[in-house]
Amino acid sequence: MKFIKPKNTNAQRVKWEVSEQTRAIVKYYAEFTEYDESEIVDMFLKNILDDKDFIEWVSKKRNNKRIIKQMEAEELVEEDKIG
Protein backbone atom coordinates (compact mmCIF):
# COMPACT_ATOMS: atom_id res chain seq x y z
CA MET A 1 0.00 0.00 0.00
CA LYS A 2 1.25 3.50 -0.84
CA PHE A 3 0.47 6.23 1.63
CA ILE A 4 -0.85 9.63 0.63
CA LYS A 5 1.66 12.42 1.06
CA PRO A 6 0.61 15.98 1.91
CA LYS A 7 0.68 18.55 -0.87
CA ASN A 8 2.31 21.22 1.34
CA THR A 9 1.33 23.97 -1.05
CA ASN A 10 1.03 26.74 1.55
CA ALA A 11 -1.60 28.23 -0.74
CA GLN A 12 -2.66 31.81 -0.34
CA ARG A 13 -5.36 33.76 -2.15
CA VAL A 14 -4.14 36.42 -4.55
CA LYS A 15 -6.00 39.19 -6.26
CA TRP A 16 -5.24 39.01 -9.98
CA GLU A 17 -7.38 39.82 -12.92
CA VAL A 18 -7.42 37.42 -15.84
CA SER A 19 -9.48 37.46 -19.01
CA GLU A 20 -12.70 35.56 -19.44
CA GLN A 21 -11.00 33.41 -22.07
CA THR A 22 -8.22 32.43 -19.64
CA ARG A 23 -10.73 31.53 -16.95
CA ALA A 24 -12.63 29.35 -19.42
CA ILE A 25 -9.44 27.60 -20.53
CA VAL A 26 -8.45 26.86 -16.94
CA LYS A 27 -11.97 25.74 -16.05
CA TYR A 28 -12.26 23.27 -18.91
CA TYR A 29 -8.69 22.03 -18.60
CA ALA A 30 -9.33 21.37 -14.92
CA GLU A 31 -12.48 19.48 -15.84
CA PHE A 32 -10.54 17.47 -18.43
CA THR A 33 -7.65 16.60 -16.08
CA GLU A 34 -9.81 16.25 -12.96
CA TYR A 35 -7.60 18.64 -11.01
CA ASP A 36 -8.79 21.75 -9.19
CA GLU A 37 -8.51 25.00 -11.13
CA SER A 38 -6.01 26.34 -8.58
CA GLU A 39 -3.84 23.25 -9.03
CA ILE A 40 -3.86 23.74 -12.81
CA VAL A 41 -2.76 27.37 -12.47
CA ASP A 42 -0.07 26.39 -9.96
CA MET A 43 1.34 23.68 -12.23
CA PHE A 44 1.39 25.89 -15.31
CA LEU A 45 2.98 28.86 -13.57
CA LYS A 46 5.78 26.67 -12.26
CA ASN A 47 6.71 26.10 -15.91
CA ILE A 48 8.08 29.65 -15.84
CA LEU A 49 11.14 28.10 -14.19
CA ASP A 50 11.93 26.49 -17.57
CA ASP A 51 12.37 29.95 -19.15
CA LYS A 52 16.13 30.23 -19.68
CA ASP A 53 16.03 34.03 -20.02
CA PHE A 54 14.19 34.35 -16.69
CA ILE A 55 16.66 32.03 -14.96
CA GLU A 56 19.56 34.02 -16.40
CA TRP A 57 17.96 37.26 -15.17
CA VAL A 58 17.56 35.80 -11.66
CA SER A 59 21.17 34.63 -11.65
CA LYS A 60 22.33 38.20 -12.37
CA LYS A 61 20.21 39.73 -9.61
CA ARG A 62 21.89 40.89 -6.46
CA ASN A 63 20.93 38.75 -3.44
CA ASN A 64 19.55 36.09 -5.74
CA LYS A 65 19.75 33.49 -2.97
CA ARG A 66 16.67 35.09 -1.38
CA ILE A 67 14.82 34.99 -4.71
CA ILE A 68 15.79 31.36 -5.23
CA LYS A 69 14.55 30.44 -1.78
CA GLN A 70 11.24 32.23 -2.34
CA MET A 71 10.77 30.39 -5.61
CA GLU A 72 11.87 27.16 -3.94
CA ALA A 73 14.14 26.65 -6.92
CA GLU A 74 17.00 24.90 -5.17
CA GLU A 75 17.04 22.25 -7.90
CA LEU A 76 17.97 24.96 -10.41
CA VAL A 77 20.96 25.92 -8.28
CA GLU A 78 22.05 22.30 -8.07
CA GLU A 79 21.85 22.06 -11.87
CA ASP A 80 23.99 25.24 -12.13
CA LYS A 81 21.24 27.14 -13.90
CA ILE A 82 21.21 29.81 -11.18
CA GLY A 83 23.83 30.96 -8.80
Side-chain angles (χ1 to χ4, degrees):
M1 172 157 97
K2 292 188 178 187
F3 296 101
I4 299 170
K5 297 189 183 210
K7 290 183 181 181
N8 294 327
T9 58
N10 294 326
Q12 185 177 29
R13 289 195 179 269
V14 294
K15 189 169 182 167
W16 292 341
E17 294 182 18
V18 295
S19 69
E20 185 176 331
Q21 179 187 21
T22 301
R23 289 192 313 270
I25 291 168
V26 170
K27 175 185 175 184
Y28 294 118
Y29 196 74
E31 186 178 317
F32 166 71
T33 60
E34 299 181 356
Y35 281 96
D36 291 338
E37 291 178 20
S38 58
E39 290 176 303
I40 295 296
V41 171
D42 192 55
M43 286 186 246
F44 272 105
L45 288 177
K46 287 180 181 176
N47 287 328
I48 292 173
L49 295 175
D50 293 332
D51 183 338
K52 293 176 184 174
D53 293 332
F54 174 62
I55 298 304
E56 184 178 324
W57 178 82
V58 170
S59 69
K60 292 178 181 177
K61 294 287 288 180
R62 189 174 182 179
N63 299 323
N64 66 1
K65 303 258 188 256
R66 178 182 50 83
I67 297 170
I68 293 166
K69 186 172 182 173
Q70 285 178 329
M71 294 189 315
E72 295 182 4
E74 287 84 12
E75 64 274 2
L76 296 175
V77 175
E78 292 168 5
E79 295 173 9
D80 286 335
K81 291 183 181 177
I82 302 179

